[in-house]
Amino acid sequence: MSLRGHGESWNPGFWRMTWLTGLVQLAQDVRCVWEEVVRREDGRLPVLAGHSSGGGLAQYVLGEGLIQAEALVLCAAVPGFGAMMRPFVSFPRILDNIAGVGKRGTYICIIAGDEDKLVGVQIPEMLANMFRDTVKVLTRTKNVDIAEDAVQDKKMETTEKGCSDSVYGVQLLVFEDAPHHLQNDVHQNEAATRLLAFVDALG
């Protein structure tokens, strides 16, 4: 989806977009589009994916309970724990609004490129671990059932074009020689293939 001021969507103009359009307004755009998509899909929840600041927005709308998604994909995303700013999401509330939690092995996919100069690899790794730690707590405090294959620690799998692991239902994919906008770069086909494999595994 493209939000106001992006793509072919309504452009409010530079000053209005810069000074009068904030996270709350963009989150409402997502909610409106999401409700229409769910309606057209006869109530079935789609997978929510976001890149960079869009990934931060994806975490925000789930954390605020504005939408529910079947699963979550974060590509080189601004982390909800804030990095150099204050945390702006609640990770337990994000998980509360992902329908796939407890139903299957993996329900969050975090993608990074090891040549990303904006986000890097360390921040996506920290984000993945934040989600995993939250799942661990939920399994103890809220009796959240997690599929056995998701709980088991799995060694980092290395391929020709990167590496991946999947622990506590959270998959981390790191693409070798990939920049911040890896979906628009030479790695786009490999990234799309791995993303489709993640979605197909949702059933």
Side-chain angles (χ1 to χ4, degrees):
M1 69 183 81
S2 66
L3 308 179
R4 68 182 76 185
H6 297 78
E8 296 298 321
S9 295
W10 170 66
N11 189 339
F14 176 79
W15 294 109
R16 187 171 182 179
M17 185 69 192
T18 303
W19 300 107
L20 299 178
T21 303
L23 186 60
V24 172
Q25 288 75 29
L26 295 176
Q28 290 300 327
D29 287 353
V30 174
R31 181 185 61 82
C32 291
V33 173
W34 199 259
E35 289 176 352
E36 177 63 15
V37 171
V38 172
R39 185 189 68 81
R40 294 188 184 189
E41 292 294 320
D42 298 322
R44 289 177 297 181
L45 293 175
V47 175
L48 178 62
H51 170 260
S52 194
S53 59
L57 181 59
Q59 295 166 77
Y60 179 81
V61 294
L62 288 171
E64 291 296 309
L66 296 176
I67 67 169
Q68 285 193 321
E70 185 63 27
L72 175 64
V73 177
L74 299 173
C75 179
V78 171
F81 56 76
M84 293 184 292
M85 50 192 169
R86 293 181 299 174
F88 58 89
V89 299
S90 162
F91 285 88
R93 290 176 65 182
I94 292 175
L95 291 168
D96 283 344
N97 289 299
I98 298 177
V101 174
K103 292 182 181 179
R104 58 184 62 85
T106 305
Y107 39 82
I108 296 176
C109 180
I110 297 176
I111 301 173
D114 68 359
E115 290 297 325
D116 185 342
K117 305 304 182 186
L118 293 177
V119 176
V121 173
Q122 184 178 12
I123 288 177
E125 287 177 341
M126 293 170 62
L127 185 57
N129 288 331
M130 182 69 76
F131 275 113
R132 290 165 178 167
D133 289 343
T134 304
V135 173
K136 292 178 187 178
V137 172
L138 292 179
T139 58
R140 296 195 301 266
T141 61
K142 289 193 174 183
N143 296 320
V144 174
D145 293 325
I146 302 298
E148 183 177 351
D149 62 333
V151 174
Q152 297 172 349
D153 288 349
K154 299 178 182 178
K155 294 182 179 179
M156 185 71 78
E157 171 192 352
T158 303
T159 66
E160 290 183 2
K161 298 182 180 179
C163 54
S164 69
D165 70 353
S166 183
V167 185
Y168 276 93
V170 181
Q171 182 178 34
L172 174 65
L173 298 175
V174 180
F175 289 91
E176 195 174 79
D177 300 324
H180 183 67
H181 291 92
L182 60 91
Q183 77 276 15
N184 298 328
D185 208 84
V186 294
H187 305 80
Q188 60 180 325
N189 291 336
E190 176 67 13
T193 298
R194 298 299 294 269
L195 179 56
L196 285 174
F198 167 78
V199 173
D200 288 342
L202 297 175

